[in-house]
Amino acid sequence: MSTDTDTDLGLDFATTPSDERRAAAEREVILADPGFGKHFTDHMATVRWSIDGGWHDASIHPYGPLSLDPSASVLHYAQEIFEGMKAYRHADGSVWSFRPEANARRFQRSARRLALPELPTEVFVESVRQLVRADEAWVPSADETSLYLRPFMIATEAFLGVRAAQEVAYHCIASPAGAYFTSGPKPVSIWLSAHYARAARGGTGAAKTGGNYAASLLPQQEAYEHGCQQVMFLDSEKGEYLEELGGMNVVLVRSDGTLVTPDSDSILEGITRDSILQLAEDRGLRVERRPVALTEWRDGVTDGTIVEAFACGTAAVVTPIAELRGEGFTIGSPTDGAGELTMSLRQELTDIQYGRRPDPHGWMTQLTEAAAVPSAE
C-alpha cells in the first residue's frame, strides 16, 4: 500500500493495488471495442463522510461490489447524486480532463439540493486524478475515444427515519468509452413527451440525481416506440416551454447566428452546453439563455428564422437534431439536422478536449505526464 497526501484537508488517498488487474492482452481487446458503460477499470476511488467525523478514509482500491445495509437511506429515499465527465488521451500520451472544477461545483450544488454533504472541489478533482493515474492503461487512444468517469455519492446510513443521512460515501468509477458516433455525428429524431414531465418547478431538475433520470425512462421508451432516439420535455407548469432531453440540453440556432437555449430552475446546467455557448460568444455570436416556447421552434422553422437545432451533453458532445415529432405534428430541420455551425462548434470543442488546438479558457487539467507508457499488468 502506498499513501500520498493530496488535499488541503489533510486527506491521504491510500492506494491499494488490485490483485485482479486484467492482463494487458485482455485490456487491449476491451479497448478495441469498449462501447459505453459496459466495462470498468481495475480500481475505484472512495471517500467517506459522517456527521461527527466529516470527510475521511480517502482511498484508491480495487473495483468491486459495494456493501450496504438493507436499510441504507439511499435505497429508500433516493438520496444520491452523480456526475459524468471524461479523461482524454492526447497525442503525446498525456491524459487530461475537461473542466473538472466545473463538475465539482455542480456536484456540490446537487449535494446541497439533496441534503448531502458538499465534497470540496480539491478532493473531487484529486479523486479523479488519483484514479486515472492508477488506471492510466485503460485510457484509450483511438480517435473520439475516452475514459468516462462517474463520480457519485450515496447515503449509506442504516436508518429508516425520513431525514438527511448522517453517513455518506463518495465513489468514483471509470469506464473506457468508444466513439459515440462510429462514422461521424448523425442527426437524430426527438419525440416530444406530452404526458410526462422530467421535473417540476422547485423540484430536483437542476440537480444531477438519479430520480430525474428514472422519471425519463418511460417517456424514453415512448420515444423509441415512435421511431425516435431521444425524448424532449416541456415545463411541468404550462406545458409550453422547452426544458431539456432525457439527458442532454438543447440549443436552437437562428438565421442571424444567434444561439438560443432554454433556461429555467428545473434544467440541469450543462457543462458541455455552457462550453459550446462560450465558444460561440468567442466568435462574436449572440447567445440567449431564456424561456423558449415550443411555438418559437415551430414558427421559426416555418419562416426560416431557425435554421439548426442540436442537443449537447458529456457522452455525445453535440448531436444534431433532424426533427422534433409529437402527437400530430413534426418540426423538421432545413439542414436535415447537421448544420454548419453545429458541426463547427462540435469540432472546435473536441479539438480542445483532445489537445488538437489551443485551450484559450484553461479548461483542460493534466492528469498524467506526456509519453507515459501504460504498464503491462
Side-chain angles (χ1 to χ4, degrees), residues 48 65-75 154-158 169 171:
R48 301 193 180 278
L66 303 178
S67 178
L68 286 175
D69 192 284
S71 65
S73 299
V74 65
L75 302 176
I154 58 175
T156 56
E157 183 183 6
H171 303 285

Side-chain angles (χ1 to χ4, degrees), residues 145-167:
T145 62
S146 60
L147 183 68
Y148 182 79
L149 296 154
R150 172 54 62 88
F152 64 99
M153 189 189 300
I154 58 175
T156 56
E157 183 183 6
F159 178 71
L160 292 181
V162 183
R163 60 156 170 76
Q166 297 182 358
E167 294 179 4

Side-chain angles (χ1 to χ4, degrees), residues 124-279:
F124 180 98
V125 174
E126 193 61 29
S127 73
V128 169
R129 188 190 311 276
Q130 295 287 342
L131 178 58
V132 170
R133 287 179 176 177
D135 285 335
E136 185 185 352
W138 283 94
V139 184
S141 57
D143 190 39
E144 293 279 327
T145 62
S146 60
L147 183 68
Y148 182 79
L149 296 154
R150 172 54 62 88
F152 64 99
M153 189 189 300
I154 58 175
T156 56
E157 183 183 6
F159 178 71
L160 292 181
V162 183
R163 60 156 170 76
Q166 297 182 358
E167 294 179 4
V168 163
Y170 163 81
H171 303 285
C172 184
I173 57 178
S175 173
Y180 194 89
F181 301 103
T182 55
S183 57
K186 295 181 175 61
V188 298
S189 296
I190 308 295
W191 177 255
L192 181 70
S193 179
H195 306 292
Y196 302 102
R198 172 186 169 274
R201 182 179 180 182
T204 60
K208 199 166 179 66
T209 182
N212 296 339
Y213 294 79
S216 74
L217 298 180
L218 182 60
Q220 182 65 57
Q221 289 181 350
E222 185 180 69
Y224 293 148
E225 291 169 2
H226 286 87
C228 296
Q229 293 78 47
Q230 283 286 341
V231 61
M232 178 81 209
F233 293 100
L234 297 176
D235 71 288
S236 62
E237 197 168 2
K238 295 183 178 181
E240 298 177 0
Y241 295 92
L242 305 178
E243 288 275 292
E244 61 177 280
L245 307 187
M248 291 189 283
N249 296 118
V250 64
V251 179
L252 306 179
V253 181
R254 299 178 64 84
S255 56
D256 64 359
T258 300
L259 283 77
V260 182
T261 189
D263 183 52
S264 84
D265 65 1
S266 55
I267 294 177
L268 181 69
E269 296 180 20
I271 295 169
T272 301
R273 180 191 65 170
D274 289 348
S275 303
I276 287 285
L277 297 181
Q278 180 62 62
L279 294 178

Side-chain angles (χ1 to χ4, degrees), residues 190-194 222 226 228 232 294 298 323-331:
I190 308 295
W191 177 255
L192 181 70
S193 179
E222 185 180 69
H226 286 87
C228 296
M232 178 81 209
L294 174 63
R298 178 190 287 123
E323 61 181 2
L324 176 68
R325 300 181 193 168
E327 295 181 356
F329 75 90
T330 298
I331 301 174

